[in-house]
Amino acid sequence: MYVEKAVRVAYLVTGSEPAAEDAAQEAFVAVLRRIGDLRNPDRFRSWFFSILLNGARRAARRGRRWLFVPLRPGPDAGADPAEAAERSDRARTLQVLIDQLPDTHRTPVILRYYAELSDAEIAAALGIPEGTVKSRLHHARQKLRQALGEEGTDLAAR
Amino acid sequence: MPLDDEIQQALHSRAETMPVRKEGLRERIRQAAAAQAPRRWLTEPLQFALAVVLLVGLAAGGFLMSAHTREPAATSSGRYLAIVDARGDKAGGQVHILDLESQSIVGTISADAPDGIFLPDGNTLVIGTPQGVTWYSAPTWQPSRTVSAAFHEWWISYPEQSAYALSPDGTHLYSVVYDPTTPPGGEGRLAFQDVDLKGGTTASSPIPTCASRLLTQAPSLVYLFCANSEWSGFRLTNGKLEQFRGGTLWYDGTPFGKDRSLATEFLSADGHVVALFQEGVIAIFDPRPNDGAGPVSTSYGRILEDGRVIPFHQAALSPDGQTLYVGTAARPCPNGGCDVPAPPLSLSADRIEAYSTKTWARTATLPVSHPFTDIAVSPDGKTFITVSSADRTVSFIDAATGKELKALTNVGTDPTRFITGPQPLLP
């Protein structure tokens, strides 16, 4: 389960499938080697994701970062085609807006909403205070809300 | 739909556009792990435990006191050095007092899992054990005072080990403690004891990270480090411990401690963390400007020989802080990998290399006749003192020529490292 989750988190962070696989591989190998470092089992998730994110950063430094990944239509459960199309547009717009967040805000968003880490776990994974995590998530939501409300799909077309 | 749900849905949709070849990836992981041949021995429980001690425990350079780590190989501040004689910091250890003037062992102290420091006067040795801290003074080396302290249990497999730090003036004792009811791995607290008050915690504070190493070079300042690169800095102000910094240490785009390749580390008197990595990198961290939100600015030196990175084993600063002496082995790393120390044999160095701490250029290389496990420098900077656990030998070496001046043989049962005085200032 963790393999799939890990590689998808790395993919969201790097935007690159090869980089995501590299990062996940690196993270699991590191975990296998360093499991003895883990003093507190409750911190496994944050520890693991910190290793994963570091791997993703390295992959990015190898020049694979920010490769453009064409948006693909996601699953749409809407019954009404018009409503479904609108919802799908909005979801894709949101994806683009999230991509456009600064890294310092985007990564906590990914860890919170996709990896489902708590504030404390995000703080530990990123090596920042928990208050900073709360603040960044708040600002990220604020930016997304403003962008969706005020600029709508225009941003998606950028 | 609430925005939170929308964000979640958008991320899931995006993430699921990536086809995950789970089996292929698992195979890659298996192959990558297997390709790191020296690590095969890590799969053995006993060897893994040894690896934990070697890889983390060795990363000790500046722990002024830390029973689970190697003591910093540093300059002696006076006439005496102490030799820890206890492999793996097990119970039943000893500390031998080495008189640099007579070049002989003048006393032996029994101590479980010992570690310690010489106070700046050079005549007072403070030894920490899991039970507490005891003062010994020249020339009798009899115990003069003891402060009991509770030190945390941080490795489940090594419950007797502890993490603590004593300020160079011997007045401030820091430790990470746990409530007795807290199981191993539970949350800890940083505790401060005013040594002059003879024990008893006088201040404590929750710690935000794990703390496998404590460093201090000033009475009111202590740094906590975790093997996963997390760190935090605490200040003692008006009797209260306050965290003033924290985050992740980086060097050259890599988290501090990544891949556990740290060979040794210490805290210079001016508060820089000097870390030496097995890959041949020296990283200098200044933790003070770290705002906790990003990489720390570092300078580092990469040491190459014939295009090949050579590993560090031990290090010692010259008394003036201008030169870093590094023990290295000329032979290549076994199985082609240097990022994990090979089993114990490779922990012996067979030459001493000198590096300028200003430019990090290598200024000298001296082969030595006895492979050694730790190195120190005499107060005048003219003599190296090395200890070899394999040979049970202490050697005195002319720093200018590399010639062995004297060797003491049959030293203890397993002499592995030195206890020295506080670290010199970096230039």
Side-chain angles (χ1 to χ4, degrees), chain A residues 1 3-5 7-9 11-12 15-18 20-22 24-26 28-30 32-41 43 47 50-51 54 57-58 61 69 71-75 87 90-91 94-96 98-99 104 109-110 112-114 116 123-129 132 136 141-142 144-145 148, chain B residues 1 3-22 25-26 28-30 32-33 36 39 42 48 52 56 152-156 178 184-188 207-211 226-230 246-248 250 252-260 291-295 339-340:
Chain A
M1 184 181 71
V3 170
E4 187 170 350
K5 192 81 166 180
V7 77
R8 292 193 192 284
V9 168
Y11 171 65
L12 289 171
S16 158
E17 293 178 8
E21 289 192 343
D22 286 354
Q25 172 191 316
E26 204 172 315
F28 278 99
V29 172
L32 288 172
R33 292 172 51 200
R34 297 177 56 193
I35 191 70
D37 279 353
L38 186 63
R39 181 179 57 80
N40 184 343
R43 293 199 170 184
W47 178 64
S50 89
I51 294 172
N54 291 333
R57 288 188 186 109
R58 272 190 299 283
R61 286 192 179 90
V69 179
L71 295 175
R72 304 172 194 173
R87 193 180 302 163
R90 188 173 166 89
L94 197 51
Q95 287 176 0
V96 174
I98 292 169
D99 282 348
T104 51
V109 165
I110 292 167
R112 158 54 60 82
Y113 292 102
Y114 185 72
E116 297 179 346
L126 297 178
I128 58 178
T132 307
R136 289 182 184 176
R141 278 191 294 262
Q142 203 170 32
L144 293 174
R145 191 172 282 117
L148 282 169
Chain B
M1 183 186 295
L3 181 63
D4 284 357
D5 292 348
E6 282 190 288
I7 296 172
Q8 196 164 31
Q9 197 175 71
L11 285 171
H12 275 267
S13 298
R14 161 60 67 84
E16 281 157 19
T17 61
M18 178 175 176
V20 178
R21 298 174 291 273
K22 279 189 285 190
L25 190 57
R26 286 191 181 116
R28 279 180 59 181
I29 293 166
R30 272 192 290 271
Q36 297 174 17
R39 291 157 202 139
L42 292 177
F48 183 80
V52 170
V56 179
H152 86 217
E153 300 176 351
W154 71 288
W155 288 115
I156 294 172
Y178 287 88
E187 293 302 315
I207 54 175
T209 65
C210 80
C226 182
N228 69 358
S229 305
E230 293 175 342
T248 302
W250 292 66
D252 195 23
T254 304
F256 180 71
K258 171 73 176 67
D259 291 334
R260 305 176 61 187
D291 64 2
D339 56 341
V340 172

Side-chain angles (χ1 to χ4, degrees), chain B residues 32-52:
Chain B
Q36 297 174 17
R39 291 157 202 139
R40 188 175 302 161
W41 55 278
L42 292 177
T43 58
E44 298 296 328
L46 187 60
Q47 290 169 324
F48 183 80
L50 175 64
V52 170

Side-chain angles (χ1 to χ4, degrees), chain A residues 90-150:
Chain A
R90 188 173 166 89
R92 275 179 278 171
T93 301
L94 197 51
Q95 287 176 0
V96 174
L97 291 173
I98 292 169
D99 282 348
Q100 291 174 343
L101 288 172
D103 199 23
T104 51
H105 290 68
R106 196 167 59 88
T107 306
V109 165
I110 292 167
L111 293 180
R112 158 54 60 82
Y113 292 102
Y114 185 72
E116 297 179 346
L117 265 56
S118 67
D119 288 351
E121 287 173 325
I122 297 170
L126 297 178
I128 58 178
E130 196 173 330
T132 307
V133 172
K134 291 179 194 295
S135 159
R136 289 182 184 176
L137 285 171
H138 171 75
H139 287 299
R141 278 191 294 262
Q142 203 170 32
K143 281 182 186 174
L144 293 174
R145 191 172 282 117
Q146 284 172 354
L148 282 169
E150 295 170 14

Side-chain angles (χ1 to χ4, degrees), chain B residues 131-135 145-149 173 193-195 198-200:
Chain B
Q131 291 78 41
V133 179
T134 302
W135 274 246
R145 66 186 300 195
T146 295
V147 172
S148 62
L173 178 64
Q193 286 181 229
D194 184 332
V195 169
K198 300 197 174 182

Side-chain angles (χ1 to χ4, degrees), chain B residues 280-419:
Chain B
V281 174
I282 301 170
I284 311 295
F285 301 110
D286 186 353
R288 289 162 296 190
N290 185 358
D291 64 2
V296 177
S297 297
T298 65
S299 62
Y300 64 91
R302 185 176 295 277
I303 296 174
L304 293 168
E305 183 180 81
D306 302 327
R308 175 172 60 86
V309 175
I310 55 172
F312 295 115
H313 291 275
Q314 303 82 17
L317 276 170
S318 62
D320 60 6
Q322 303 271 351
T323 306
L324 182 72
Y325 298 105
V326 181
T328 62
R331 58 184 170 274
C333 301
N335 302 313
C338 289
D339 56 341
V340 172
L345 271 182
S346 76
L347 295 174
S348 294
D350 54 18
R351 62 186 176 180
I352 299 167
E353 297 180 350
Y355 293 89
S356 161
T357 55
K358 284 183 178 171
T359 64
W360 298 108
R362 184 165 55 194
T363 55
T365 299
L366 291 174
V368 296
S369 53
H370 276 109
F372 57 91
T373 46
D374 204 356
I375 180 174
V377 186
S378 64
D380 62 7
K382 294 181 178 175
T383 307
F384 297 128
I385 305 100
T386 63
V387 60
S388 166
S389 61
D391 294 351
R392 296 168 56 216
T393 299
V394 172
S395 296
F396 295 85
I397 298 165
D398 187 303
T401 64
K403 183 183 174 188
E404 187 172 74
L405 304 172
K406 184 176 181 179
L408 303 177
T409 57
N410 299 319
V411 176
T413 55
D414 198 0
T416 53
R417 56 193 166 89
F418 291 122
I419 293 173

